[in-house]
Amino acid sequence: MTAPDERTRWDIVTLAVGAGVIAALQVGKVPPALPELRTDLGLTLVGGGWLASLLHLFAALFAIGMSMATDRVGPARLLVVSMLVMAAGSALGALSGSTALLFAGRALESLGFLGASISAPTLIVAAAVPRDRSLALGIWSAYFPVGAAIAMVAAPIFLNGPGWRGLWLADAAICLAVAVLLAILVRPAHWPDVPGPRRGRGLRDVAETLRLPGPYLFALSFFLYACAIFALMTWMPTFLLERLGYSLESAALIGALVVLVNVVGNLGAAWLMHRNVPRWSIIAISFLGVLGTAWFVFAGTAPDALRVPAAVAMSCICGVLPAACLSGAPAHARSSAEVATCSGVVVHGSNLGNLLAAPIFATVVTYFGGWSNGHLPMIGLGIAGLAVTVLVRAVDRER
């Protein structure tokens, strides 16, 4: 999967990253809207957590299957279809009059998000020559916080006007527009080497790839990271509203800042990997960031003045992990045919963490003492992450 002219197609990389940013709008639009959604549709705190996490349901269940579909359909075509599915899901949610339809729309968004999260990096690997792949994938890793932050900043504009339904409809229109743009630009006339459909790998081939230990360790690292960071990003606006008395606008902006600074870590990791810093050490930095900041964010006895700076620091420092894990997938693939499957394993870990993070954290907050104990699960995740890092170091040294 290298460009024949040995030059990275940065225009294709930019398009793929842009599509990922739009896909991540589905993540960021929910946290600021949760108070209004809970009032309008009668959602509980735990129910709101499941609404936020449902986006990752299909990704947590079917990431490997979607990676196989990427080969059969072709990553460019699958990315277009994924954007259309997200548009349909967001439109259904906007028109829903019950929680059942809202959750059904969220399930469609989940399916589209999964397709985009696997097809887009597959395009990036195809467009980038080997020397640029770590950098390109490091840039790709920023799609999630950038898109989520954009949605969180824009959300109050809609929430104070047409409401959450208007936000959902605007999101559907943007996804539709991006699908049309991709269909026009990511085709052979614009990119002669666009990877098309190919004979899918058989179950035996996939099973052989799934025996590789490296992708599982990156997936586990990503899972633990996602449990911590997605919980922080999802509940930060609600925490600021309920625990510290912030206004909706202020809480949404600070929540967006917490999400956006994650990009600094993403790009910092791309810079470090481009200079051959080992992936395991970058992953270790992320979990040390969790351990060093969790108490200051949530502990009941922590100074209120330090909570927001600590949350910003946690997001920024921890942001180095996604790029390291995402680059580990193609690095451990033994051939270009295995890249999608290895990436599917890593994405599976990420989205399983995103699926479980918000509701589990909400359960801790609801049943075990309130927000003041929120640091305890975070510390546990940080310790577990450092333990996994030891295993990553042992396996990744061979690559």
Side-chain angles (χ1 to χ4, degrees):
M1 274 193 176
T2 59
D5 59 0
E6 292 302 318
R7 289 185 296 116
T8 293
R9 286 293 303 264
W10 288 108
D11 56 334
I12 301 299
V13 172
T14 301
L15 280 170
V17 173
V21 168
I22 300 305
L25 295 179
Q26 321 311 313
V27 180
K29 70 184 182 183
V30 172
L34 277 175
E36 185 175 325
L37 282 166
R38 291 173 63 192
T39 299
D40 192 13
L41 298 177
L43 286 174
T44 65
L45 186 66
V46 175
W50 278 114
L51 178 67
S53 293
L54 190 63
L55 181 69
H56 305 281
L57 174 63
F58 282 99
L61 296 175
F62 305 120
I64 304 300
M66 187 64 77
S67 68
M68 297 173 67
T70 301
D71 287 334
R72 293 183 180 274
V73 177
R77 186 178 301 172
L78 182 61
L79 186 54
V80 172
V81 172
S82 298
M83 302 307 295
L84 292 173
V85 171
M86 280 187 285
S90 194
L92 177 61
L95 300 175
S96 64
S98 65
T99 55
L101 282 179
L102 180 64
F103 274 77
R106 196 64 172 163
L108 280 178
E109 293 175 9
S110 172
L111 183 61
F113 184 79
L114 169 60
S117 66
I118 292 180
S119 58
T122 303
L123 276 180
I124 290 172
V125 170
V129 296
R131 67 176 176 273
D132 292 332
R133 280 181 187 161
S134 290
L135 179 60
L137 289 169
I139 295 171
W140 159 253
S141 71
Y143 85 94
F144 189 97
V146 169
I150 290 172
M152 293 177 78
V153 170
I157 299 174
F158 291 89
L159 296 175
N160 291 326
W164 70 267
R165 296 181 189 276
L167 176 60
W168 260 241
L169 283 175
D171 180 35
I174 293 171
C175 289
L176 180 61
V178 171
V180 173
L181 182 64
L182 286 166
I184 294 172
L185 296 179
V186 186
R187 56 193 177 95
H190 180 70
W191 182 21
D193 302 309
V194 57
R198 62 183 180 183
R199 185 181 66 84
R201 303 175 68 221
L203 292 177
R204 182 176 297 179
D205 296 328
V206 173
E208 185 67 25
T209 303
L210 292 177
R211 293 191 180 100
L212 297 173
Y216 288 104
L217 292 175
F218 289 117
L220 182 55
S221 299
F222 219 151
F223 167 78
L224 296 169
Y225 159 89
C227 283
I229 295 303
F230 190 69
L232 177 72
M233 292 178 176
T234 299
W235 291 117
M236 196 64 193
T238 303
F239 173 71
L240 293 173
L241 283 166
E242 295 184 356
R243 175 67 173 78
L244 301 180
Y246 280 66
S247 66
L248 174 62
E249 292 78 7
S250 297
L253 287 175
I254 293 174
L257 174 63
V258 170
V259 173
L260 190 58
V261 295
N262 194 254
V263 176
V264 178
N266 299 156
L267 300 181
W271 182 84
L272 291 171
M273 288 189 300
H274 202 53
R275 283 150 182 78
N276 299 316
V277 175
R279 278 182 287 264
W280 69 266
S281 61
I282 296 174
I283 293 172
I285 290 171
S286 179
F287 290 116
L288 288 172
V290 174
L291 290 173
T293 57
W295 184 87
F296 294 97
V297 178
F298 291 112
T301 54
D304 286 345
L306 294 180
R307 296 188 190 279
V308 170
V312 170
M314 180 189 293
S315 179
C316 181
I317 297 170
C318 294
V320 299
L321 183 142
C325 291
L326 290 170
S327 70
H332 281 253
R334 295 168 297 187
S335 68
S336 61
E338 291 187 330
V339 169
T341 303
C342 290
S343 296
V345 172
V346 176
V347 168
H348 177 81
S350 167
N351 285 283
L352 184 61
N354 289 339
L355 174 68
L356 298 176
I360 288 177
F361 195 80
T363 299
V364 172
V365 168
T366 302
Y367 296 106
F368 296 100
W371 290 111
S372 61
N373 284 327
H375 64 291
L376 298 177
M378 294 285 186
I379 290 174
L381 291 167
I383 293 172
L386 287 179
V388 175
T389 301
V390 176
L391 300 176
V392 171
R393 181 186 183 189
V395 171
D396 209 36
R397 289 176 66 182
E398 302 173 4
R399 308 305 298 179

